[in-house]
Structures are given as structure tokens and as C-alpha cells.
Amino acid sequence: MFAVHLMAFYFTKLKEDQIKKVDRFLYHMRLSDETLLDIMARFQAEMQKGLGKDTNPTASVKMLPTFVRAIPDGSENGEFLSLDLGGSKFRVLKVQVSEEGKRNVEMESQFYPTPNEIIRGNGAELFDYVADCLADFMETKGLKQKKLPLGLTFSFPCRQTKLEEGVLLSWTKKFKARGVQDTDIVSSLTNAMRKHKDVDVDILALVNDTVGTMMTCAYDDPYCEVGVIIGTGTNACYMEELSNIDLVEGDEGRMCVNTEWGAFGDDGALEDIRTEFDLELDLGSLNPGKQLFEKMISGLYLGELVRLILLKMAKAGLLFGGEKSSALHIKGKIETRHVAAMERYKEGLANTREILTDLGLEPSEADCIAVQHVCTIVSFRSANLCAAALAAILTRLRENKKLARLRTTVGMDGTLYKIHPQYPKRLHKVVRKLVPNCDVRFLLSESGSAKGAAMVTAVASRVQAQRKQIDKMLALFKLTPEQLVGVRDKMRVEMEYGLKRDTQPLATVKMLPTYVCGMPDGTEKGKFLALDLGGTNFRVLLVKIRSGRRSVRMYNKIFAIPLEIMQGTGEELFDHIVQCIADFLDYMGLKGAQLPLGFTFSFPCRQASIDKGTLTEWTKGFKATDCEGEDVVDMLREAIKRRNEFDLDIVAVVNDTVGTMMTCGYEDRNCEIGLIAGTGSNMCYMEDMKNIELVEGDEGKMCINTEWGGFGDNGCLDDIRTQYDEEVDEGSLNPGKQRYEKMTSGMYLGEIVRQILIDLTKQGLLFRGQISERLRTRGIFETKFLSQIESDRLALLQVRRILQQLGLDSTCEDSIVVKEVCGAVSRRAAQLYGAGLAAVVEKKREDQGLEHLKITVGVDGTLYKLHPHFSRILQETVKELAPRCDVMFMLSEDGSGKGAALITAVAKRLQQARRDN
């Protein structure tokens, strides 16, 4: 028993002594946590350099765009071919991706050798050989009658300008075929394929093996957005925000970046951690000074590093009693598979003895322990360096997403990672230590990079097909110049109908006289009350106008109008309004004052004078009964009488559009048009009295409230209306009415977008085909979301957050499509506004007999003010459709409040002038 303990003690002591001896000898290969964090920071800096347009040429980490923009979503299906060229064997596969989103992949493959004379010979011969192998595979599998999409996994650094094109930057590993560098790989293979007349393939994608690994794993786990290979060579790729990739046009979405991290350190960034063995290995390699990071990590080099260390230790008398065998002097005699075998948990020492004996050495027990520890240090350093670079990528992903904690999956492949017994465990542990704020799952790629190439091809096919369907839908909202001219001309015709007594009853643009016959001249003064009713809020204002300096001061209070009042009886609505007026007069201490009042009433009214307005129909969600066909001024007077607390002098009932024109006319005498682009849509302008057949008299001008929201109610816009416009119209409070408004105004644009999103989701083109309950809710997609989503400053991440608020779990690709849909809907709205306005300015120019008209348009409304592109597109459209009109746009400052007071003031001034006359 004592002898057993003694032997155990001896062995433990022996092991400790040998480990200490090796540790001292390989001190520089042991990397501390501080060193790894430093390497991680250096790699992050190199990534940034590689992504920058100006810094990329000198960056060692090339950060190559792959033009892979999407990961699998499970809806891929079809039959694909895949080639995998880059390792010791070349493989051809047929991949069947199942339908119905079952995420099932069936593969048939065949390996072909890659002889040295082929991979180091002439480039043309290499591609002829690949084409011959592909033709042989298709013959064997009975595929020669089919035209199949093909994905090529090419495991060498390439610069790509599109998915199906790649220029070889340099050979790595053992490949050295002549005449291939700086040429397009896809063209070379396509030319070689042409010699086989009976083979018809369409090369859709050229992918790096690392990208293939990521895509293979992403098919099984949608969280996978990083691919790492640790095999013959080593590399990593990940999904980067397109806005960060200077080498590629565009800012929307993401793209997979192939880091080519094997070259990290080629600029000297890792000199402080490279050892004499790294230097010696590099000098004896096929590409001295290149791929220095890879030479410290990958399977092609680890065995050789171990051999160089053992040789040096033997020479120093630290191993094998100072004896060296001839085999130990031969380059490549120790391979990475030997290193893995020597590090096995139980049989490792026995394997070590066997491997060393095969090398012609006579190892002692102590030698075997020491050699095993050399292998551990070399492979541990490899795992540490990989972990530091991978931690840098994960940190970048987390920062790109602006997350405190990242959940992600890393797809892994490569013989070293797969066959080495300790490697995965070591790598995972160090990564988690370096990035404690990342929850990382490591997923082994089952079928390697070749399946990945087929997946990239399948995704490319899916995206291509989906893009066609999405573009077809978006095309419905793209108005041609001819269509816009048609809208302008039809608007002009409808306006002329509206001005004529005989045709006015049938006109869709009602051209209502407002009896506002003058613009402010600067002499207006006094205190005025203004009421503003036109939406869910009601305002009461006190407006003080001072003459001379053209100064206006306003005091106002906002009151809510509950839905039950909006859609109750007319008496209840006007009693509520009078209650609000009473509260305001109390609040301002004006209970007994009899002030002139202007009433902004933003609904279609037929006026017989400036203080009489008969409501023709409710819009904007109002439905109060017993109001349509009634004079709203009389209804307000009746309500004031019922309350019997105060009396007011109601001078004018005005539309908010007219108020907008008057407000801007107070500042700019050239302003003769008012435009509202907000919840509703309308326009007014000053028309010559001689053209208004509904009103007596030919002298002077009068403001016409066009009420153009009803344009198209006669079917004249049916050629540009879409199924989505029809759905919005059918679900509205007033089907068949206000069709132009329903294509242009803030109340409806969000609803049009919602209908499109539902349709695209039903087709499986958005949100993985899942329609959330909230998306089914009418009115949930407010127009303010369009303004937010289309903002140039808003990253897709923020777009996704907006969609999440609506219960929509969107991918990056979904967010891009939603942004495109919002853009198409709002652009069409702005162009339709522009076409309508062009009809008005052209009419004014022709009426005045001018070659060139200079005019100002007063504008108000949240859509015009808040949407990032609406105003620009509207203005551009007017310029294109009315080139002989110089149109200035002036933002109105409170048209419905200040404007109502100004109209009241002008009406008072004109009344006084008539009395004086």
C-alpha cells in the first residue's frame, strides 16, 4: 500500500516538475487576462480600420463585404447545388430545402480529391477540374436535365461587389494556382462550365466558408449572426450594420462582413506576443509575413509549432536526454491531429508515447508529460487568441444594437474545433470571461460550409422572389409624370365645374365662396375672440391685434371633445362648445365683454355671407346629428341663448384653410393661397369675382374654399387608386366620399400602410407571416409613425422598436420593407398634393395673363410640418408641373386661431368702410 502511495507521489511530483519546466520555457506563450483584453481592443480598432473607406487599404483585417444581406427565415425551399473549394478535399452537393417552413434539409454529396498539381498549377486547369467534377456529380445524380441555382463556397479572401462576383485577393493555406489572383472567380468557373454543353447551372452566390457556417447554423437558430471557423485556416464573419460599411453604397439593413481575421497582426500589431517559434514557422511557410494571426491559431500550423518547440527543447537537453531523431527535423511531421490525440483526457499520455516513438524517439515518462503540456500551451494559446478576437466581434454587435446585454449564437466549424478534445470548452470559457454582458450560444455546424453556400443561394432565391412581389406592390404607388399631369388637369376641370352655376351641383371640388373679400392691410386693430373646431380638440382664443407694427398677441385654452359628443346630437355638441367659451371667459376675466368673434369651422360649409355657413357634410370622424344642412352660426347663437350668460358678436365663420392664408397674408402680401396638409386635406385661394357664378357681382376678389378632399368622388382618380385605398375607404365613416383626402391626409396614410403590411404579411413577405392582434386593429398605425420611421436620423434598430410597440416582432429585413412602404405611401400623397396645387397656380397665372407668376402659399398641418420629406416632394412636384410659376411656401403660425381673428378684423374694417361710404 505504501509503495502505491509512493508511486502516486512520485508521478504527481514528476508531472509538476515537467509542467513547471515547460511553463518556464514557453513563458511568452501564456497570455494573461489583461493581455487578452488588450488584444481584444486592438482587434476592435483593426475592424474599424477595415470598415472605413479611407483606412481600409492599410488595414490588416480587411472586413470584406459579402453582399449576404439576410439570414434564413425558414421559408426557403427548392433544390440547389453547392460546391465547396478551400480545404484538403473538394465537395459537390445537391441540397433539397423543404417547403412549408419545416426547416428540413436533405443533402447528397460527393468528395473529390484536390491534387497538388491542380491546386498549385495553372488557374484555368483548376477551374476545368472543378467543372469536370460538377458535371460528373450531375451525371451521377441524374441532374443534367435540370437548371439549378448554385452556390460556391470559396474559402479564400475575395473582394466582392455583388453576391455573385468575387475577385481573389490572395491564396492562403496550400493553394497557389497561377493567374487567378485579381480575377473574378465566378467568371472563371462560368467559362469552364461552358465547355459542358449539357450542364445548365446559374451561379447565384459566392460565399466564404465562414459565411457558409453562419448561414447553416442560422437556418437552425435565427439568433445566429456570427460564423467562426477554426480548422486548416481560421476566420470569422458577422452581420454588420450597412451604415457602418463605407465600402458599400446604402445605409439600410445589415450585411455579413467577412473579417479575414487570419491577417490580423500582418502590420506588426501583434509583434509583442509573437515568439521565436512563430517567427521561425512564418519564415518557413509559403507566404512569409502574411496571415500571422492564423499561423498562431489554425490547424495547418499548430502541429508545426509543437515540432519546432520540441526540437528546440531537445537541442537544449530539456527533452529526450538531448537526443533528436531525423524525423523531428522534418517539417510537417507533427500534425494537428497528433496534438489533439496527445491532449486526450485518459489516453493522452499513451498516445503521446506512441506518436513520439513513431518519430524515432525514445521518450521517458517525464518526456511524455512535458510534450503533452507543450501541446496544451500551444492549443490553449490558439483558443485564447480566437476568444479575444471573437469577444471583440460580440462587443461590436452589442454596441451596434445599443443593448446592455446581448443574446446571440455563434456558428462554429473547422477540424481543430471539432476533433480537439479540450478546444471548444476552453474557447467558450474564455469568451464568456471576456464578454460577461453577452449570453453566447455556440452551435456546431453539422454539415459544414457547403450546406451554408446552398443556404445563401436559397436565401438569395427567396429574397429575389420576395423582392419581386414587394416591388410589384410598391409600383402601385409610383406615379408617372404622365399620371401626375393627368391629376393636375383633372383637378383644373373639377375646379372650373365647381365655379359654374350649372355644373357646380355635380362637381366633386365644390369651390365654396367664403365671402372673405379682402386681405389684411396692416390697419387692423382691437381685441377679438376666436373659436377653433376641426379635430378632437377645441380651442378658444383671445387675440389682440395692434396696427402699424403688425403685432398679434394670443391667449388660448384647449378643451377636449369626447367621442360621445362628436358623434352625439348637434345640440349637445354646441352646448359643449358654449360651456368651453364660458370657462375661457371666466379664466380670462372677460365675462361681461361683448367681443367680435371669428369661428374657425374646419368642415365643408356652403356660405351665403361671411357670418352664415351651412354644413354640407361632416368629415374627420364627426357625426353629430341634426347638423348637416343647418347654419352652424345659428346653432352657436341658439346655444349661447340657451345658456343665457353672455352675448357675442359672431362676425365671421371661416375654414381653417382660409385662416392659414390670412395669417400668412398678414406677413406677406403676395400670399393668395392657403394649404392644409394635416389630419385633413384642403386648399383655398383668392379668385376673381367675375369667375364665381354662384355670387352676385364682378368686382374684386373673394376667397374660394375648394374643399378638394372630395376630388375623385366621381371616379376620375380610379386609375391610380389601389386595393388598399379601397379597403381604407370601405372601412371609413364615409365610404365613397373624400377620396382625394383619403389618399393624401394624415388621418388616413397610416391606415393605408397598415392595410399594406397586413397584405404583405398574409403573403409571407413580412413578420414571418404572423399578423399580430394589434396590427388587425384599425387606426393603430398612426401617421406620426410614418414621420418617425422615415426620419433620416432613425436607425433601423429604432424602426424595429416602433414596430415592437405595435406588437410586431420584426427582423432587420422587415424594418427595411416597412420603411419602403411608408416612403411609397407618403411620397404619393405629397405628389398628389403637388399636382393639385399646380392646377391652382397655373389657373391663377392664366387668369392674370402672365408669362410668369410669383406667388406665396401659406401652409399649415402636421404632415407638412413634421414629416421629414413631405414638404420637399410637394414643392418639387409643383415645380415640375407648373414650371412658369415661382411658388414660395410660408409656414403658417396658428392659422385657425390667429387667422380667424384676422378675418374678423378685416370683415370689421370692410363693414366700417361701407358704413363710412
Side-chain angles (χ1 to χ4, degrees):
M1 190 66 181
F2 176 72
V4 173
H5 281 303
L6 194 62
M7 272 305 289
F9 174 75
Y10 166 74
F11 187 75
T12 306
K13 186 80 175 72
L14 180 69
K15 192 171 182 181
E16 280 175 8
D17 290 347
Q18 293 308 309
I19 286 172
K20 279 179 185 169
K21 176 176 75 176
V22 172
D23 281 347
R24 278 196 300 274
F25 191 76
L26 296 180
Y27 171 76
H28 289 298
M29 279 195 166
R30 312 280 306 224
L31 303 174
S32 67
D33 288 353
E34 290 74 25
T35 304
L36 291 178
L37 286 167
D38 184 39
I39 292 166
M40 180 178 153
R42 292 184 215 180
F43 189 73
Q44 278 178 300
E46 278 301 316
M47 286 168 77
Q48 193 59 47
K49 262 177 86 175
L51 288 169
K53 199 171 197 169
D54 300 334
T55 48
N56 175 275
T58 58
S60 60
V61 180
K62 283 299 176 194
M63 304 295 280
L64 303 171
T66 65
F67 294 83
V68 171
R69 294 169 186 264
I71 60 172
D73 68 358
S75 66
E76 293 77 16
N77 66 79
E79 208 171 20
F80 306 92
L81 286 171
S82 179
L83 303 180
D84 185 4
L85 179 66
S88 49
K89 289 177 183 171
F90 161 58
R91 188 156 64 134
V92 186
L93 299 92
K94 182 190 82 144
V95 181
Q96 177 75 47
V97 183
S98 80
E99 300 183 29
E100 308 304 325
K102 288 174 190 162
R103 292 188 181 256
N104 183 34
V105 178
E106 292 171 11
M107 297 192 298
E108 296 176 51
S109 70
Q110 193 170 326
F111 283 97
Y112 294 89
T114 48
N116 270 342
E117 62 271 19
I118 292 290
I119 65 173
R120 295 189 187 181
N122 181 291
E125 289 169 9
L126 170 65
F127 288 106
D128 284 344
Y129 175 72
V130 171
D132 291 346
C133 294
L134 177 62
D136 173 72
F137 178 81
M138 292 181 79
E139 175 84 53
T140 309
K141 302 294 178 188
L143 299 172
K144 284 203 167 177
Q145 308 314 311
K146 294 184 178 181
K147 180 178 173 71
L148 293 173
L150 180 140
L152 169 61
T153 301
F154 190 71
S155 314
F156 305 95
C158 284
R159 187 169 306 285
Q160 290 185 260
T161 50
K162 46 190 172 188
L163 185 59
E164 68 281 11
E165 181 185 280
V167 173
L168 177 69
L169 295 177
S170 62
W171 286 116
T172 57
K173 293 169 270 198
K174 292 182 177 177
F175 280 68
K176 271 283 185 184
R178 297 183 300 278
V180 183
Q181 201 165 322
D182 299 323
T183 64
D184 176 26
I185 301 305
V186 175
S187 296
S188 302
L189 181 56
T190 303
N191 292 337
M193 292 303 306
R194 286 200 185 109
K195 296 171 187 171
H196 296 271
K197 304 290 183 198
D198 52 349
V199 169
D200 189 7
V201 296
D202 187 10
I203 304 175
L204 283 189
L206 171 75
V207 290
N208 182 279
D209 54 346
T210 324
V211 181
T213 296
M214 182 189 79
M215 294 297 268
T216 302
C217 294
Y219 188 65
D220 298 318
D221 181 346
Y223 280 99
C224 183
E225 48 193 345
V226 184
V228 176
I229 288 194
I230 312 167
T232 312
T234 183
N235 195 10
C237 69
Y238 72 102
M239 295 302 286
E240 176 61 86
E241 299 299 320
L242 199 54
S243 56
N244 295 333
I245 308 171
D246 286 356
L247 301 171
V248 178
E249 291 286 314
D251 285 335
E252 301 296 352
R254 300 197 301 166
M255 183 181 284
C256 181
V257 166
N258 165 22
T259 65
E260 285 298 337
W261 76 8
F264 178 37
D266 287 6
D267 58 355
L270 296 176
E271 284 312 296
D272 57 327
I273 62 162
R274 289 176 75 222
T275 66
E276 59 183 292
F277 309 109
D278 297 309
L279 299 174
E280 192 177 340
L281 180 142
D282 178 44
L283 284 172
S285 68
L286 284 169
N287 53 352
K290 303 265 177 79
Q291 300 295 104
L292 299 184
F293 191 60
E294 182 169 81
K295 285 169 184 169
M296 297 160 84
I297 289 172
S298 80
L300 188 61
Y301 303 103
L302 287 198
E304 183 60 10
L305 271 176
V306 168
R307 184 189 72 81
L308 292 172
I309 292 165
L310 299 189
L311 190 60
K312 179 84 183 279
M313 287 183 79
K315 282 178 181 173
L318 297 171
L319 282 176
F320 319 126
E323 294 297 321
K324 307 172 290 294
S325 67
S326 56
L328 195 59
H329 283 89
I330 299 170
K331 183 180 168 186
K333 266 296 180 184
I334 298 180
E335 295 172 25
T336 298
R337 65 188 172 91
H338 297 135
V339 175
M342 289 190 270
E343 282 196 75
R344 291 212 173 277
Y345 178 56
K346 284 185 178 167
E347 61 269 34
L349 278 176
N351 291 342
T352 305
R353 181 177 293 282
E354 190 182 321
I355 289 160
L356 293 174
T357 305
D358 288 348
L359 289 170
L361 295 161
E362 294 177 11
S364 65
E365 194 73 37
D367 289 334
C368 291
I369 291 167
V371 169
Q372 190 182 44
H373 194 53
V374 167
C375 292
T376 299
I377 286 176
V378 169
S379 62
F380 216 125
R381 183 185 70 156
S382 164
N384 278 339
L385 289 171
C386 258
L390 178 53
I393 289 174
L394 294 172
T395 300
R396 184 169 182 89
L397 271 177
R398 185 180 61 76
E399 288 172 355
N400 279 350
K401 295 183 180 190
K402 297 180 171 59
L403 295 173
R405 192 162 196 85
L406 173 73
R407 176 189 172 187
T408 193
T409 298
V410 178
M412 300 294 304
D413 203 356
T415 46
L416 179 57
Y417 184 85
K418 282 178 174 175
I419 67 163
H420 193 289
Q422 318 295 336
Y423 202 98
K425 193 167 61 183
R426 290 171 184 165
L427 177 77
H428 303 171
K429 188 177 177 183
V430 179
V431 167
R432 287 175 180 135
K433 191 197 293 182
L434 293 174
V435 280
N437 47 5
C438 296
D439 298 319
V440 191
R441 179 188 180 210
F442 290 87
L443 183 60
L444 185 63
S445 166
E446 290 303 325
S447 314
S449 47
K451 175 182 167 186
M455 289 318 310
V456 172
T457 310
V459 170
S461 297
R462 165 178 66 80
V463 168
Q464 224 172 55
Q466 288 178 341
R467 192 68 246 176
K468 270 185 191 164
Q469 286 173 277
I470 290 163
D471 286 344
K472 191 176 169 188
M473 182 282 300
L474 291 173
L476 300 172
F477 289 85
K478 284 180 181 156
L479 299 175
T480 64
E482 294 73 31
Q483 284 174 318
L484 287 169
V485 167
V487 173
R488 179 198 67 190
D489 295 347
K490 287 172 190 173
M491 177 69 85
R492 178 71 182 270
V493 168
E494 286 297 314
M495 286 169 69
E496 298 293 356
Y497 280 172
L499 288 169
K500 304 263 186 297
R501 184 176 276 109
D502 296 341
T503 50
Q504 206 271 350
L506 295 174
T508 60
V509 180
K510 287 299 178 191
M511 305 297 280
L512 305 173
T514 65
Y515 294 85
V516 172
C517 298
M519 299 293 287
D521 66 1
T523 62
E524 295 79 15
K525 61 181 179 180
K527 287 181 185 177
F528 304 89
L529 270 183
L531 309 181
D532 175 15
L533 180 68
T536 50
N537 289 329
F538 170 62
R539 282 193 312 158
V540 187
L541 304 93
L542 174 68
V543 183
K544 294 180 180 177
I545 303 173
R546 293 171 68 183
S547 62
R549 289 189 305 173
R550 289 183 178 245
S551 116
V552 177
R553 292 183 72 183
M554 292 187 293
Y555 309 87
N556 73 83
K557 201 164 185 201
I558 296 172
F559 301 89
I561 298 196
L563 191 64
E564 61 270 19
I565 298 283
M566 284 169 68
Q567 298 183 5
T569 66
E571 203 169 281
E572 287 168 343
L573 173 63
F574 281 92
D575 283 347
H576 180 74
I577 287 170
V578 171
Q579 174 66 55
C580 297
I581 296 169
D583 288 351
F584 179 76
L585 293 174
D586 260 355
Y587 172 71
M588 295 299 295
L590 293 169
K591 205 62 179 267
Q594 191 174 7
L595 297 171
L597 181 143
F599 185 11
T600 299
F601 188 74
S602 308
F603 303 93
C605 278
R606 192 173 306 288
Q607 287 186 254
S609 66
I610 197 163
D611 63 347
K612 288 197 175 301
T614 302
L615 175 65
T616 55
E617 64 179 321
W618 282 119
T619 57
K620 298 183 241 182
F622 276 72
K623 273 286 183 186
T625 57
D626 307 322
C627 293
E628 289 178 357
E630 299 296 327
D631 181 355
V632 293
V633 176
D634 284 348
M635 292 185 81
L636 179 59
R637 284 184 175 132
E638 288 298 320
I640 291 171
K641 264 186 203 163
R642 277 196 300 277
R643 186 161 184 103
N644 198 23
E645 275 184 26
F646 50 82
D647 197 15
L648 296 168
D649 176 15
I650 304 172
V651 175
V653 59
V654 297
N655 181 279
D656 55 345
T657 323
V658 184
T660 294
M661 181 187 75
M662 293 298 268
T663 303
C664 295
Y666 190 61
E667 307 290 336
D668 178 351
R669 291 193 176 184
N670 233 5
C671 180
E672 289 199 343
I673 299 175
L675 182 72
I676 297 277
T679 310
S681 167
N682 198 12
M683 189 272 303
C684 71
Y685 71 105
M686 295 302 287
E687 177 62 273
D688 292 328
M689 284 289 287
K690 63 177 186 283
N691 296 330
I692 310 169
E693 291 186 5
L694 297 174
V695 180
E696 294 295 316
D698 287 343
E699 294 301 317
K701 292 181 177 183
M702 182 183 287
C703 179
I704 290 290
N705 166 22
T706 63
E707 285 298 338
W708 74 3
F711 177 41
D713 288 1
N714 59 358
C716 69
L717 295 179
D718 284 0
D719 59 322
I720 60 168
R721 285 177 83 227
T722 67
Q723 68 191 73
Y724 310 108
D725 296 306
E726 286 164 18
E727 281 162 3
V728 168
D729 181 38
E730 284 163 19
S732 69
L733 288 168
N734 53 352
K737 298 203 174 155
Q738 300 292 106
R739 288 184 175 179
Y740 183 66
E741 181 169 83
K742 284 170 186 167
M743 295 165 80
T744 55
S745 80
M747 186 160 180
Y748 299 101
L749 297 191
E751 187 57 15
I752 296 171
V753 169
R754 189 182 73 87
Q755 293 292 349
I756 296 169
L757 298 188
I758 287 174
D759 187 39
L760 292 179
T761 308
K762 279 179 183 171
Q763 293 180 54
L765 302 172
L766 275 181
F767 312 130
R768 301 181 183 89
Q770 303 296 311
I771 302 175
S772 72
E773 276 311 307
R774 293 198 70 193
L775 189 59
R776 294 179 198 276
T777 310
R778 188 173 299 284
I780 194 73
F781 203 99
E782 296 171 47
T783 299
K784 70 173 182 183
F785 292 139
L786 270 76
S787 299
Q788 290 169 4
I789 285 169
E790 288 187 69
S791 167
D792 294 328
R793 296 190 305 277
L794 206 63
L796 282 179
L797 212 62
Q798 290 156 295
V799 175
R800 286 176 78 176
R801 287 200 187 121
I802 291 169
L803 295 173
Q804 276 165 359
Q805 289 168 23
L806 298 170
L808 300 167
D809 180 21
S810 69
T811 63
C812 184
E813 290 70 41
D814 290 339
S815 303
I816 293 171
V817 174
V818 170
K819 196 165 184 177
E820 284 183 280
V821 169
C822 291
V825 170
S826 63
R827 181 177 184 79
R828 183 190 67 163
Q831 287 179 316
L832 287 172
Y833 259 103
L837 188 55
V840 180
V841 294
E842 271 297 299
K843 178 183 183 341
K844 285 191 75 68
R845 185 187 65 77
E846 288 173 20
D847 286 352
Q848 292 174 41
L850 295 172
E851 188 62 33
H852 195 88
L853 173 73
K854 190 169 184 178
I855 196 164
T856 300
V857 178
V859 199
D860 203 352
T862 48
L863 194 54
Y864 187 91
K865 286 178 172 176
L866 301 180
H867 190 283
H869 311 299
F870 192 91
S871 57
R872 173 182 54 80
I873 296 165
L874 189 158
Q875 291 171 26
E876 285 169 359
T877 309
V878 173
K879 207 168 193 174
E880 284 162 19
L881 298 180
R884 289 193 280 176
C885 299
D886 181 7
V887 185
M888 285 277 295
F889 289 82
M890 184 178 186
L891 269 181
S892 163
E893 226 183 296
D894 195 9
S896 44
K898 182 176 169 182
L902 283 166
I903 290 166
T904 307
V906 170
K908 279 289 200 188
R909 172 169 59 80
L910 294 175
Q911 273 175 15
Q912 189 61 47
R914 279 195 295 273
R915 275 201 294 270
D916 292 348
N917 284 336

